[in-house]
Amino acid sequence: NRLHATDVTSSSFRLLWPKLLSQETGYYTLEYAPTAELARKRTQQVSGAHTSLVLSDLAPETTYEVALIPESNVHYFPPQSTRVTTLAEEISPVQVLISESGPRSFHVSWAPVLDSVLSYQVLYGPLPGNSAKVLQVDGRHNSTVVEQLAPNTTYLVTVTAIYRSGKEKSLSAKACTQEGERGE
């Protein structure tokens, strides 16, 4: 029954607080700032009818000090405060590049490489079809070679970033293997 945050993302969170005021009896002043830089305090006034507010445009992986000051013309309510830490920014792979394509293999690389990624999953399978195979790649790496493929075939390659938070983001690309030499 105190000021607290829900729906925390890398750039926003929702504050909830108990109903202390009404539209008639006052308003709330909300102050928030990164713990490391309290001088960058931002202030917002909220009608007494509200019991929640979304704060956005926040920095990722940052702890904020938040204070709710009930400005009542009837009673004194002590300010309530809380600390909220935003999540790491979860960017999906923005590029998947296929290179060094041969009859039986190709090279897959992706960007960016982020500290918040635990591992990458590279899923590949011929189109059309649903016989996909998976390669696990350590989060520190940004490329892998896919081998033992069929010549002259189009493959769908999906790179999924698996974040430390448990979230996943994916991006796909198409790759074609070269025609095999005669006699294969």
Side-chain angles (χ1 to χ4, degrees):
N1 199 20
R2 304 211 8 103
L3 176 68
H4 65 281
T6 61
D7 304 335
V8 180
T9 71
S10 61
S11 63
S12 69
F13 50 79
R14 176 180 287 280
L15 290 167
L16 298 166
W17 58 86
K19 188 165 174 55
L20 302 172
L21 308 174
S22 68
Q23 187 87 45
E24 291 74 46
T25 60
Y27 61 93
Y28 299 98
T29 298
L30 196 70
E31 299 180 344
Y32 58 103
T35 304
E37 305 172 84
L38 291 175
R40 288 183 51 208
K41 184 167 77 176
R42 289 193 247 176
T43 304
Q44 219 165 327
Q45 288 192 353
V46 191
S47 147
H50 288 296
T51 56
S52 85
L53 179 72
V54 174
L55 295 183
S56 53
D57 294 330
L58 305 175
E61 281 189 282
T62 303
T63 301
Y64 284 85
E65 301 282 333
V66 183
L68 179 77
I69 304 149
E71 312 271 7
S72 168
N73 50 27
V74 184
H75 298 287
Y76 169 72
F77 293 104
Q80 297 195 8
S81 61
T82 188
R83 244 180 205 195
V84 188
T85 303
T86 52
L87 302 181
E89 196 149 23
E90 317 236 325
I91 309 170
S92 53
V94 287
Q95 277 181 315
V96 173
L97 297 170
I98 309 290
S99 57
E100 295 166 41
S101 174
R104 299 270 175 211
S105 68
F106 50 76
H107 184 260
V108 184
S109 58
W110 52 88
V113 174
L114 300 163
D115 292 341
S116 50
V117 175
L118 202 56
S119 65
Y120 293 96
Q121 237 178 29
V122 180
L123 191 76
Y124 61 98
L127 286 172
N130 47 14
S131 56
K133 296 191 173 119
V134 178
L135 287 173
Q136 292 283 356
V137 182
D138 185 284
R140 291 189 302 271
H141 298 294
N142 74 327
S143 66
T144 189
V145 175
V146 180
E147 297 174 308
Q148 296 171 337
L149 302 173
N152 201 16
T153 304
T154 301
Y155 284 84
L156 181 66
V157 181
T158 302
V159 176
T160 302
I162 297 164
Y163 292 87
R164 296 182 198 284
S165 63
K167 286 200 181 138
E168 297 184 6
K169 298 266 181 96
S170 303
L171 187 70
S172 299
K174 281 185 184 156
C176 296
T177 49
Q178 306 290 324
E179 288 190 33
E181 284 99 52
R182 288 188 197 84
E184 260 196 275

